[in-house]
Amino acid sequence: MSAPPLVEAFGLEKRFAIARPWLARLADRGRGRFVHAVAGVDLAVPRGRTLALVGESGCGKSTLARLLVGLLLPSAGRIRFDGRDLDLRLGRRAWAPVRRRIQMIFQDPYASLDPRWRVADILAEPLEAFGLVRSRGERRERVEELLRQVGLSPADGQKYPHEFSGGQRQRISIARALASRPDFLVCDEPTSALDVSVQAQILNLMKQLQEELDLTYLFISHDLAVVSVMADVVGVMYLGRIVELAPSKELFLRPRHPYTRLLLDTVREPGRRGRLPLAGEVPSPIDPPPGCAFHPRCPWASARCRGERPELEPVGEAHAVACHGVEEGRLPDPRGAPVSSPCAAP
Amino acid sequence: MWAAVRKLRDHELWWHFTRSPLAVGSAGLVFAFVLGALTAPWLAPHDPFDPARVFLADAFLPPVWVEGGDPRFLLGTDDQGRCVLSTILWGARISFFVGVSAVAFSAALGTVLGITAGSVGGAYESLVMRAADVQLTFPGILVALLIGGIARTLVPPALLEAAAVWVVVASIGIAGWPQYARIARAVTLVETSKDYIAAAQVMGLHPVRIMFRHLLPNVIGPISVVGTIGLALAIVSEATLSFLGVGVPPTTPSLGTLIRIGNDFLFSGEWWIVFFPSLALVLLVSAVNLLGDWLRDALDPKLR
Amino acid sequence: MPLLEVEELRIVFDTRKGPLCAVDRASFAIDRGEILGLVGESGAGKSLIATAIIGLLAPPARIAGGTVRLAGRRIDDLDAEAMRRIRGRAIGAIFQDPLGALNPLFTIGRQLEETIRVHRALDRRAARARAVELLRAVGIPDPERRLDAYPHELSGGMRQRVVIALALCADPLLVVADEPTTALDVSVQAQILRLLEQSCRERGAAVLLVTHDLGAIGAIADRVAVLYAGRIVEIGPVAAVVRNPRHPYTRGLLGAIPRIGARPRRLVQIEGTMPRLDAVPTGCAFHPRCPHAVARCRGERPELEPMGEARAVACFRPRGAEGGLG
């Protein structure tokens, strides 16, 4: 954890206007309504490590990912990459100096590759966009190297995406992201569309590549078990905010925030029936509850929780929680993730 | 070359095609018309535009199988002694030329406006799409008449004769763009929501490059389906304009012009002068339409 | 006599290159009140089996062999009308997408009342009372008011609760649930699974739970059948199969699941991918990916053979067998 962070964000926010035709907006003089998809997030991704963001749909984790790669422009806040602030006043061009070094892997392997292009051309696109190859021969060599790097054969370059299975397509997607030799990969649910046996292949590949190429990952997932395998640091998000941030081991051993505890209780593994889960669902981000956004589902909510929003406060070494209950010490002791029966497989 | 033929033969579309008698029939008919139109200068038995070869003495001859028919003129002759079969072949040539050019014009205009509207968004998108909506509230032929009228006042009279065909192409072309723009925008919206466009953005590709390399290929399929159906419509529009006398000049007669000329003799007994050009127009337009319908169904997996 | 008996079920897709076998001689049975999990990865044919049982298989897929019996009566050869009656009364169905299962134009109350009245001679009032009772049973707060809500006004979890209520309307003998939690958030998944289990156990309804999620099966099922490339490769009590998987595919599948607490350098992974329907290998369909395959696996197809307490495995070299792998 001593490595200086590669990517940092300070007070990052993203508001979306609720889409309405401009004529309708004109009619009520532009009093737009907004969704606060990301409502003030501070984070730091340590170099060569993996920061995972975990949360349910609508928690803003995918929006946060897209803010960091420059697919969306933040409404407020700062982003710092490798010690230098991006000049966000430039809009998308703010990313120009770091474009090559920040790449992304997407969730849906069927939508993230242009179906009309051969794999070799898909992989060559970033090479050409960044001017990384000078001749056709160099281009072919680099494409073949990329294919081998992700466990495909050079001959696969001549095929089209539809000739591959979901897992193989995700390999192609990873190869494309690696083409420009980036330092930072944003991975938005890279395995949630895959079957478990294929998921294991992709997760192993990503770990191996991280080691070989010294990559820094921001790993977005809704699956705590996947996160526990991949992450060095975990941020738990709820309705646009990080409610708990801790080193992976610490978080799974001593979860503090009630929402983290809820998520851990819902984890099902074969051979373990899981605890009886909390009732309720994530409220709509259009109209989040006042105070602590989690209070309507929280068994320990007090009057303070209903009125005052808790800030992320340190509770230990590198462990921070946004919860009045934790701060006041009125929550029961955390029970960690139940250690499952030893793996049945050899 | 053979690889391309084999690829076509193995393509799903070809498989569907060979199993639809209607598609094969209408494709054959369209092909015959295209061939006839292209080779009219050689195929037509007479040159109807050479005053030295057209004789008023041959006027009003009925088709060969009618009493008084002349074996030189298979489908009879018109009021000036021109061979009806030859005028139809030459007329189809003009109709096709105007139709294809007009469709190409509106498809190009609509595609550019639609793709840019879909990817730029904002006020520009609203402007383009509302303009399309407004234009769609008027019948296409009315828009074409209006644009043709304006164009004729703008073009110097000396050039009008030469430019007449292009004025028709432009007026039908401009009348048709909203269809294409709507489709291009819809496809653009669907595709830009997919992550391969996001991946291209993460590579820092220029938006125009993304439009050309990723969006355009997706738009071409649906646009070509609408274009095929649009071709039938454009041919009818051209015929209508020419019938009304604001289309191509009578010196280069299209099917519409021929029908207008023949219309004068409909009730005086010389039915063939109007009947055969009309039949040709109906057959051509139906065949193109059926082909377009089939293409749409074959390309749309939901209707299969 | 078991409630549901599926014997040698074969499902094929008719393509222009000829029929493709998607489910090959699948046999299993479900007892009254029992929950059987059918697990497999995408393309294994698990949803096809579920769809075939509820009689909704549509071209190009069709049943090409075998029988399906419900309470001793054959149901795979019934006409559409007779099957429709069975589907309403004896078999309830729950699908992955709750929004697709509900008519967006009617309130959930109206949909429940109509379904209730199709199966029971009740007047409007009584049907409404029964609908309220059902909604309360599936854990919907304030059911009297929610009756007048349209499907889009409910959250995903609430919608799936309504779908479960609809499936339970006629007190069916069997509930077929096809990926009932896949479209839901993790915290809601647990609630819905628990609800499905409780409400079916209370009514004595058997459940066929089709899912790709072994965790879900582990949470509520009594027995599990593992499907690979259209074939059942292992079947048995959940606890026994999970603790001691005998088929190499089951073992690989269990090992590939990431677990909290364990932080291996590498997850166990099964090399390769499931074969496409037009390229299912000869012999055992799993042999090209199997670390223990021998010559016999390539040439001869292993049948599902009983092995130990209420278990069966389709493998020539199952773990725990004499001469097999320890």
Side-chain angles (χ1 to χ4, degrees), chain B residues 75-93:
Chain B
L75 299 180
T77 59
D78 66 2
D79 58 329
Q80 297 173 46
R82 297 187 295 198
C83 167
V84 169
L85 177 60
S86 304
T87 53
I88 288 174
L89 287 171
W90 282 89
R93 195 176 157 90

Side-chain angles (χ1 to χ4, degrees), chain B residues 56-291:
Chain B
L56 266 179
D58 294 332
F60 298 122
L61 287 173
V64 275
W65 61 88
V66 176
E67 204 182 322
D70 185 316
R72 284 180 301 153
F73 304 106
L74 189 63
L75 299 180
T77 59
D78 66 2
D79 58 329
Q80 297 173 46
R82 297 187 295 198
C83 167
V84 169
L85 177 60
S86 304
T87 53
I88 288 174
L89 287 171
W90 282 89
R93 195 176 157 90
I94 298 290
S95 292
F96 255 117
F97 176 75
V98 172
V100 170
S101 312
V103 165
F105 186 82
S106 33
L109 185 65
T111 305
V112 168
L113 288 173
I115 292 186
T116 49
S119 34
V120 173
Y124 172 73
E125 180 183 24
S126 296
L127 191 73
V128 171
M129 297 327 289
R130 288 308 84 75
D133 292 346
V134 169
Q135 193 180 319
L136 279 172
T137 58
F138 297 103
I141 195 73
L142 211 63
V143 177
L145 272 172
L146 182 74
I147 294 165
I150 296 171
R152 258 185 298 280
T153 60
L154 294 178
V155 177
L159 294 174
L160 201 56
E161 177 84 19
V165 172
W166 295 108
V167 169
V168 177
V169 168
S171 36
I172 298 174
I174 292 175
W177 74 270
Q179 295 266 14
Y180 301 93
R182 283 186 159 188
I183 287 165
R185 172 175 166 270
V187 174
T188 302
L189 289 182
V190 170
E191 296 301 317
T192 41
S193 71
K194 292 188 183 162
D195 282 337
Y196 71 87
I197 299 291
Q201 287 169 344
V202 173
M203 283 171 219
L205 290 190
H206 194 275
V208 173
R209 196 161 155 189
I210 294 179
M211 280 181 213
F212 269 98
R213 285 164 61 107
H214 292 289
L215 293 175
L216 195 60
N218 284 296
V219 173
I220 282 172
I223 287 285
S224 58
V225 171
V226 179
T228 318
I229 298 169
L231 176 61
L233 209 68
I235 291 173
V236 172
S237 298
E238 183 278 330
T240 312
L241 291 179
S242 297
F243 183 81
L244 295 174
V246 292
V248 296
T251 44
T252 50
S254 71
L255 290 176
T257 323
L258 293 178
I259 295 168
R260 178 167 61 111
I261 297 167
N263 196 33
D264 297 339
F265 306 102
L266 183 56
F267 298 107
S268 55
E270 291 86 6
W271 52 271
W272 59 88
I273 305 178
V274 67
F275 177 75
F276 291 112
S278 308
L279 184 67
L281 183 67
V282 168
L283 284 176
L284 174 61
V285 168
S286 317
V288 172
N289 243 335
L290 286 171
L291 202 61

Side-chain angles (χ1 to χ4, degrees), chain C residues 239-259:
Chain C
V241 171
V242 167
R243 207 178 320 114
N244 181 16
R246 299 213 192 271
H247 196 282
Y249 175 65
T250 318
R251 231 179 308 155
L253 205 56
L254 281 162
I257 298 172
R259 284 153 203 267

